[in-house]
Amino acid sequence: MSSLSNSLDQTDRALLIHPYSNLVAHEQAGPLIISRGDGVRVYDVGGKEYIEGLGGLWSASLGFSEREIAEAVYEQMVQLPFYHGFHSKSTPSLIKLAHHLAEISPIPDAKFFFANSGSEINDTVIKCIWYANNVAGYPAKKKIITRNRSYHGVTIATASMTGLAANHSDFDLPIDRFLKVMCPDFYREGLEGESEEQFSDRCVAEVRDLIEREGADTIAAFVADPVIAGGGVLPPPKGYFEKLQPLLKENKILFVADEVICGFGRTGNMFATETYNLRPDIVTVAKALTASYIPMSAAMIAPSVWQPIVEGSRKHSVFAHGYTYSGHPVAAAAALKTLEIMEKRNIIGHVKTVAKVFASRLESYRGHPLVGDVRHVGLIGGIELVSNKATKAPFPVEVGTGAHCLRAAHKHGVILRSIGDIVAFCPPLIISEDEVDEMFSRFDRALDDTHAMLKGKELA
Ligand code: PLP
């Protein structure tokens, strides 16, 4: 290690609490310090090159060296580095962004609210729904339904929505008002002999039972990430949303699509709402809105929700919600340029083409002795490693199969994510067919290493 990387490593270990990291392991192993990006590749301080197979955090849609965004950000910084939206203030870049979003929004006549992260915007949406229901005369209609293994963020409300134990344990979460239903994971939750459609029926029947038990007049919204990503890369099973949506409508329960990962091309359309024919009342987006170059998130809100909010502000003289950086003009400039590039370079068309190679490489793992399931849509995919393909038995947790595979992937020059023993792929949308091939070739070596490790332990 060079003296520079050594001193960075020591300083990092001494000073930083890393998000989503095992802090004890981190003190021993130290950080992977990434210092440069180029296209779909990033480089660590020692000069080692990696294909970023997860687009950073499912997010860097345009890769790591898009100069046009850097220049747009620079120009905005020089022109007006900051202004806010409180007390009816605005900026041209934010207005242009809202105008552009209105043209592509899957929600007709939507209004837009901006924040800085997926967590903040989902949190905002819950507050907006509660506020709107109070103003509209439904003060009891407040509970929020989400799915086990869904991911919606880490604030007190959004971690309560998130269906992952690690986000709750010792954080005193979830708080009340947040209800959970089954994860629509056909591979793990489907019963012997049950078809995918029948499984979807069972998932929706559980929601119906919950609504009946709790009372529709107490349930405000159902929030779903159309493809559950962080919980294991789970596109919805056949018929799931088709059957769910009428049930929600019948019971006047709002449907919120959390498109923080899916939005802006990930599933092969601009929004997953289109991919899965969803008709949500609210859509939240973040990550690829700015290609992740600058923090920004947004909610697209239907008239049925924003109208009571406007009324509420009449009643209270103010809509008392907002962040210092809601609609930050520099983030707005980055978002505008991102959307312009997506259009100009037909990124969605590119995703549709490259997704075919991505899908066929993933599908080729179905026959692999360690692979129990393969799932994908657009440019997001996952493979689930199991110790027994026939029984779907997982590897013992203490073996850390997924984590081992991930470390091996790093060694072979591809950064991925392991979720237990599920390996996730979510590369920048600009990835070429050759780069997809290269990414999977590097992963093949990691899978071989993992296989060898398991054989050594007589587990494969
Ligand atoms: N919603 C979904 C679907 C996500 O995947 C994430 C983060 O990965 C969030 C919300 C939270 O976003 P953030 O980490 O920006 O708070």
Side-chain angles (χ1 to χ4, degrees):
M1 218 187 250
S2 71
S3 66
L4 169 66
S5 46
N6 201 26
S7 86
L8 288 174
D9 179 282
Q10 292 309 324
T11 311
D12 183 290
R13 291 192 212 200
L15 296 183
L16 292 179
I17 296 174
H18 278 261
Y20 276 98
S21 304
N22 178 326
L23 301 177
V24 177
H26 181 80
E27 278 180 13
Q28 285 152 13
L32 170 62
I33 308 173
I34 300 294
S35 58
R36 188 166 73 81
D38 184 13
V40 299
R41 292 169 158 81
V42 293
Y43 297 80
D44 69 21
V45 270
K48 182 171 163 59
E49 170 258 346
Y50 306 82
I51 293 181
E52 230 310 348
L54 206 86
L57 283 175
W58 326 80
S59 62
S61 51
L62 300 180
F64 295 87
S65 54
E66 188 45 74
R67 290 197 79 83
E68 284 189 46
I69 301 178
E71 280 155 15
V73 161
Y74 176 78
E75 277 163 30
Q76 181 63 49
M77 281 270 190
V78 172
Q79 178 77 26
L80 180 70
F82 167 68
Y83 216 71
H84 61 87
F86 284 35
H87 316 129
S88 297
K89 306 291 192 303
S90 199
T91 60
S93 58
L94 184 65
I95 294 167
K96 282 187 212 152
L97 174 60
H99 182 73
H100 194 118
L101 286 174
E103 282 172 3
I104 59 172
S105 169
I107 296 193
D109 303 318
K111 281 195 193 261
F112 304 92
F113 184 89
F114 291 92
N116 309 288
S117 68
S119 299
E120 278 183 5
I121 203 62
N122 285 333
D123 201 279
T124 290
V125 158
I126 300 308
K127 285 182 73 181
C128 283
I129 290 171
W130 288 345
Y131 189 82
N133 280 3
N134 283 329
V135 174
Y138 305 106
K141 210 166 165 58
K142 296 289 168 53
K143 293 173 193 163
I144 308 292
I145 305 177
T146 58
R147 291 95 53 82
N148 285 327
R149 290 169 63 192
S150 65
Y151 190 83
H152 301 290
V154 293
T155 62
I156 288 174
T158 59
S160 296
M161 291 155 74
T162 291
L164 297 166
N167 295 98
H168 299 157
S169 302
D170 281 340
F171 286 113
D172 287 356
L173 296 173
I175 54 171
D176 63 6
R177 289 190 177 180
F178 292 88
L179 309 173
K180 294 283 172 313
V181 289
M182 176 181 12
C183 176
D185 177 354
F186 180 53
Y187 178 69
R188 282 280 162 214
E189 307 283 347
L191 300 175
E192 189 79 38
E194 190 177 45
S195 72
E196 203 169 320
E197 288 268 357
Q198 287 166 338
F199 172 65
S200 293
D201 285 338
R202 190 156 59 83
C203 290
V204 175
E206 189 203 5
V207 180
R208 182 177 296 108
D209 289 349
L210 181 68
I211 296 170
E212 274 168 22
R213 226 174 27 249
E214 299 286 333
D217 54 347
T218 72
I219 302 176
F222 186 102
V223 185
D225 25 3
V227 177
I228 292 178
V233 187
L234 297 158
K238 268 192 215 104
Y240 178 79
F241 283 119
E242 287 87 332
K243 294 164 208 269
L244 180 68
Q245 292 183 96
L247 174 68
L248 301 178
K249 261 234 141 36
E250 238 169 73
N251 289 285
K252 298 194 169 48
I253 294 171
L254 295 171
F255 178 33
V256 180
D258 174 347
E259 293 228 29
V260 165
I261 284 180
C262 293
F264 307 105
R266 180 54 60 189
T267 65
N269 292 297
M270 190 56 103
F271 297 103
T273 300
E274 194 184 325
T275 306
Y276 298 113
N277 195 21
L278 310 181
R279 291 169 303 283
D281 302 286
I282 298 176
V283 170
T284 56
V285 292
K287 299 191 189 263
L289 169 60
T290 55
S292 284
Y293 282 30
I294 298 258
M296 183 176 239
S297 56
M300 312 183 189
I301 303 176
S304 62
V305 185
W306 64 252
Q307 277 159 352
I309 293 175
V310 173
E311 277 313 304
S313 84
R314 192 201 308 274
K315 174 173 152 197
H316 299 291
S317 315
V318 63
F319 172 56
H321 178 77
Y323 304 97
T324 299
Y325 304 128
S326 283
H328 194 294
V330 177
L336 260 176
K337 186 53 75 177
T338 299
L339 297 177
E340 188 189 305
I341 290 172
M342 287 200 66
E343 234 170 64
K344 181 167 81 179
R345 300 195 202 148
N346 187 17
I347 298 292
I348 305 279
H350 173 75
V351 171
K352 285 185 199 295
T353 306
V354 178
K356 292 183 192 134
V357 183
F358 183 74
S360 84
R361 285 300 299 248
L362 278 169
E363 286 295 330
S364 72
Y365 293 109
R366 279 203 194 274
H368 192 282
L370 297 183
V371 174
D373 196 26
V374 175
R375 308 183 277 264
H376 53 88
V377 57
L379 279 180
I380 180 167
I383 65 174
E384 185 152 349
L385 306 177
V386 291
S387 74
N388 185 317
K389 283 167 86 92
T391 63
K392 306 181 185 175
F395 289 103
V397 176
E398 57 281 11
V399 176
T401 304
H404 185 281
C405 190
L406 195 77
R407 282 193 301 275
H410 281 191
K411 189 177 87 193
H412 292 297
V414 54
I415 296 179
L416 300 169
R417 165 75 80 84
S418 64
I419 303 153
D421 291 343
I422 300 162
V423 182
F425 300 80
C426 190
L429 303 181
I430 56 161
I431 195 166
S432 69
E433 295 184 358
D434 286 349
E435 287 165 337
V436 168
D437 272 332
E438 178 62 26
M439 175 177 77
F440 283 112
S441 301
R442 293 179 186 194
F443 174 67
D444 286 343
R445 278 168 244 152
L447 200 54
D448 288 347
D449 286 2
T450 308
H451 205 172
M453 176 280 286
L454 292 165
K455 276 187 179 146
K457 292 184 187 293
E458 296 183 359
L459 285 166

